[in-house]
Amino acid sequence: MLIKLDVTTGKHTEMKDITRLIQKAVTDSGVTDGVCIVFVPHTTAAVTINENADPDVVRDFTMEINKIVPWEDGYHHMEGNSAAHLKSSLIGFSEQLLIANGRLVLGTWQGIYFCEFDGPRRRKVYVKVMEG
Ligand code: ZN
């Protein structure tokens, strides 16, 4: 079963916590033990797992990734968003998660983040939940 979720971002660069959204998809699937793949079908967005306790972590994350890949740097891509394309590939388009007793297996401080690099936009996230 392939689940398609809608995610709306509100900023140009943003890490949006989608843990509850993914957990709901897992719960709705009825799978209690298995694997969950989260896939972002975009070229200027990504998905990652990181700390969800202190909001300054994602604040620092976005601050630093904007330094690593500056928005303007003499890029050639005509659309003008090469930085977003680069950041997406750096962070990656998918995550694999484990499911046990109907819950995502995450560390105490871990959350799943949708990473927007060229927002705000309406985005999609695909979730595949497999028993096993
Ligand atoms: Zn582009």
Side-chain angles (χ1 to χ4, degrees):
M1 175 175 34
L2 183 65
I3 302 155
K4 188 167 83 173
L5 303 172
D6 295 308
V7 174
T8 303
T9 59
K11 295 177 188 169
H12 187 260
T13 303
E14 179 180 356
M15 288 177 75
K16 186 167 185 167
D17 190 337
I18 57 169
T19 312
R20 284 185 189 176
L21 198 62
I22 305 303
Q23 177 60 58
K24 185 181 183 307
V26 169
T27 303
D28 291 349
S29 77
V31 172
T32 54
D33 285 277
V35 176
C36 170
I37 295 173
V38 180
F39 180 75
V40 170
H42 301 287
T43 61
T44 56
V47 63
T48 193
I49 296 169
N50 217 306
E51 179 172 327
N52 65 356
D54 179 2
D56 278 342
V57 172
V58 294
R59 187 176 163 200
D60 288 346
F61 187 104
T62 53
M63 183 177 80
E64 287 304 307
I65 200 163
N66 284 334
K67 285 187 200 168
I68 294 165
V69 185
W71 187 253
E72 307 246 355
D73 200 19
Y75 304 117
H76 302 286
H77 178 42
M78 285 178 64
E79 199 186 3
N81 62 352
S82 272
H85 291 297
L86 287 164
K87 289 179 211 171
S88 297
S89 282
L90 284 174
I91 304 305
F93 301 98
S94 68
E95 288 290 348
Q96 300 167 71
L97 296 125
L98 306 176
I99 303 160
N101 302 313
R103 305 290 305 170
L104 291 166
V105 178
L106 287 164
T108 306
W109 311 113
Q110 286 184 320
I112 306 162
Y113 286 93
F114 182 90
C115 305
E116 175 63 78
F117 296 125
D118 195 13
R121 292 188 193 220
R122 295 188 68 190
R123 301 290 203 171
K124 300 261 180 269
V125 174
Y126 290 116
V127 181
K128 181 82 177 176
V129 184
M130 292 167 287
E131 187 90 45

